[in-house]
Amino acid sequence: MKRVEILSRLEKTGVVAVVRGATKEEAVKASHAIVAGGLTGIELTFTVPQADEALKELTSYYQNRSEIVIGAGTVLDAVTARLAIMAGAEYIVSPSFDRETAELCNLYQVPYLPGCMTITEVQEALKSGADIVKLFPGSAYGPSIISAFKAPVPQVSLMPTGGVSLANMAEWFKAGAVTVGVGGDLLAPASSGDFDQVTATAKQYAAKLKEIKG
């Protein structure tokens, strides 16, 4: 089943790089730099100009490397989700939960990862078939929130995003995260065109992940 296979590959990535950029070119170059550093999960956000074209370019470039999983982020509605899926996105991430988007992703058998902050939101997301819930923003809580959420809802798979860094990544995994979303410090050098630094930081994350996963 397509969706199960994508989910299994997504969990294997361990770290999903949240890629933003002032231009399509910057986002594509940053994505290549991240993959060069050894990270295999890319979430290209729809705040990037011509995001659908950037997605097409990346999914076509990496189509023969099954370990690389490319999805779309900051998807606010079902129209954008369909556009992303048609452009090759393998999973859809939203900053908040949207039922129509969940239904559309179910229709196309594409994993949907909505951003949730409360138990009520998590419950709504699970009812609508969300496979992994994006805990967003993670910085508002800290790793201990995972066990707090899992006490009443033990079946939920959580991906904290926002506030995950090299310094606290191990804590998030120890707390029970299935994978983590990373943006800020990883992407910062891209805005000034320093893609080598993006690769160097990605290498640090990949090494840290290896250390954590043993």
Side-chain angles (χ1 to χ4, degrees), residues 140-160:
Y141 290 125
S144 63
I145 192 65
I146 291 189
S147 54
F149 271 35
K150 276 180 167 284
V153 197
Q155 70 275 27
V156 69
S157 293
L158 295 167
M159 175 178 88

Side-chain angles (χ1 to χ4, degrees), residues 1-151:
M1 198 172 149
K2 176 186 169 186
R3 179 157 141 184
V4 174
E5 181 258 341
I6 294 171
L7 276 167
S8 141
R9 286 166 53 226
L10 188 58
E11 284 188 28
K12 268 189 200 135
T13 67
V15 173
V16 172
V18 181
V19 178
R20 301 188 184 278
T23 63
K24 180 191 105 171
E25 291 69 27
E26 185 189 308
V28 169
K29 277 184 184 167
S31 300
H32 288 316
I34 287 160
V35 171
L39 294 180
T40 52
I42 299 284
E43 177 196 319
L44 189 105
T45 65
F46 261 74
T47 52
V48 171
Q50 300 157 297
D52 57 326
E53 288 175 29
L55 269 170
K56 268 183 202 152
E57 203 173 308
L58 289 167
T59 51
S60 132
Y61 187 87
Y62 292 112
Q63 61 184 346
N64 297 322
R65 290 186 59 184
S66 65
E67 79 280 13
I68 293 163
V69 195
I70 298 169
T74 323
V75 174
L76 302 179
D77 52 47
V79 174
T80 310
R82 189 175 183 278
L83 187 67
I85 292 166
M86 294 300 124
E90 294 186 277
Y91 60 96
I92 298 294
V93 187
S94 298
S96 55
F97 172 70
D98 178 69
R99 188 178 308 282
E100 281 182 10
T101 303
E103 287 172 2
L104 182 105
C105 289
N106 283 337
L107 176 65
Y108 286 102
Q109 285 298 290
V110 166
Y112 175 50
L113 290 71
C116 296
M117 264 192 102
T118 65
I119 290 286
T120 307
E121 290 173 354
V122 167
Q123 213 170 320
E124 277 301 292
L126 290 177
K127 272 189 207 165
S128 297
D131 300 284
I132 296 175
V133 170
K134 168 177 151 172
L135 195 59
F136 180 77
S139 54
Y141 290 125
S144 63
I145 192 65
I146 291 189
S147 54
F149 271 35
K150 276 180 167 284

